[in-house]
Amino acid sequence: MASSLEEIFPNCPDGLDYKSLEILPEHVAVIMDGNGRWAKAKGVPRIKGHSAGVSSFKEIVRVAGELGIGYLSVYAFSTENWKRSKEEVEGIMRLAVKAVKNELEELHSNNVKVRMLGDKSRLPKATRAAFEEAEETTKNNSGLHLQYAVNYGGRDEILRAVKEYANKCSVNPALLEEDLSEEGFSDLLYTHGMPDPDLLIRTSGEFRISNFLLWQIAYSEIYVTDTLWPDFDRYEYLRALLDFQSRDRRFGGR
Ligand code: IPE
Ligand code: IPE
Ligand code: MG
């Protein structure tokens, strides 16, 4: 681990035993949900919920790095989220650019490697440019792999892979003779080269996947908490990690 658990969890609430944290997931995926309800409960505009959510995101990235977790994938904006009001969508994009720009230096100095998951072509130019800069700047880093899913949809990702494969086969029909394997198919996804998530966290109490990493979560352990994303801090993260290490993962075996 990069830092001691005592340093990472200095004000651990009673009853939460950080010392027993022994087994870490290699890849954690997070559906960061509940920003709107957080704002509603506080009587503030939804966008305030999204900006409070950015603080939780920063904290979780920091803790993942401190713990030495290999991969963290966060769901920031889905292919379905365009259905929201223009004002909210623009606000979220603005915040995403700001967060990436403000954090880039620190991420880079902490050896974090940033990768975007999703279809960048529909993103506003400034958003796309900021993300590409982050990917480019950090591409040779070897610490935490941080995947930021924006305009991401699991079905869209699978469909793209199928189309790409069909195209390759039409150019090179000999490919059809080779049996496409699960590994071969995984290589066509945005997440190529990464292990599947071991732990999938969803905040705000919704028991659904909402189109996140459909192929990759076949055997992920799912953890749902009622905590709204802006209230999700390192101790909530610890709760999820402790829960994960108590799971009996069988992968279909005995
Ligand atoms: C998650 O919070 C952020 C995005 C989906 C962009 P929501 O905005 O979905 O918050 P709720 O679910 O309405 O509370
Ligand atoms: C999932 O949350 C997408 C993100 C967190 C980016 P949503 O709020 O969009 O999901 P639903 O509508 O509750 O399924
Ligand atoms: Mg939501």
Side-chain angles (χ1 to χ4, degrees), residues 30-37 46 50 74-81 83-84 92 149-152 202-204 206 208-212 229:
V30 187
I31 303 175
M32 309 185 292
D33 196 20
N35 296 348
R37 277 161 282 172
R46 287 182 67 86
H50 294 309
V74 298
Y75 202 11
F77 192 88
S78 74
T79 46
E80 287 72 46
N81 287 146
K83 292 178 196 159
R84 299 186 181 198
I92 292 171
V150 178
N151 192 24
Y152 174 89
R202 181 162 189 155
T203 56
S204 87
E206 307 289 3
R208 57 177 172 261
I209 301 301
S210 302
N211 207 8
F212 194 38
W229 180 249

Side-chain angles (χ1 to χ4, degrees), residues 12 23 33 45 85 125 134 171 202 207 228 245:
C12 209
I23 303 166
D33 196 20
S85 72
K125 255 200 182 127
V171 174
R202 181 162 189 155
F207 284 78
L228 303 171
Q245 76 174 9

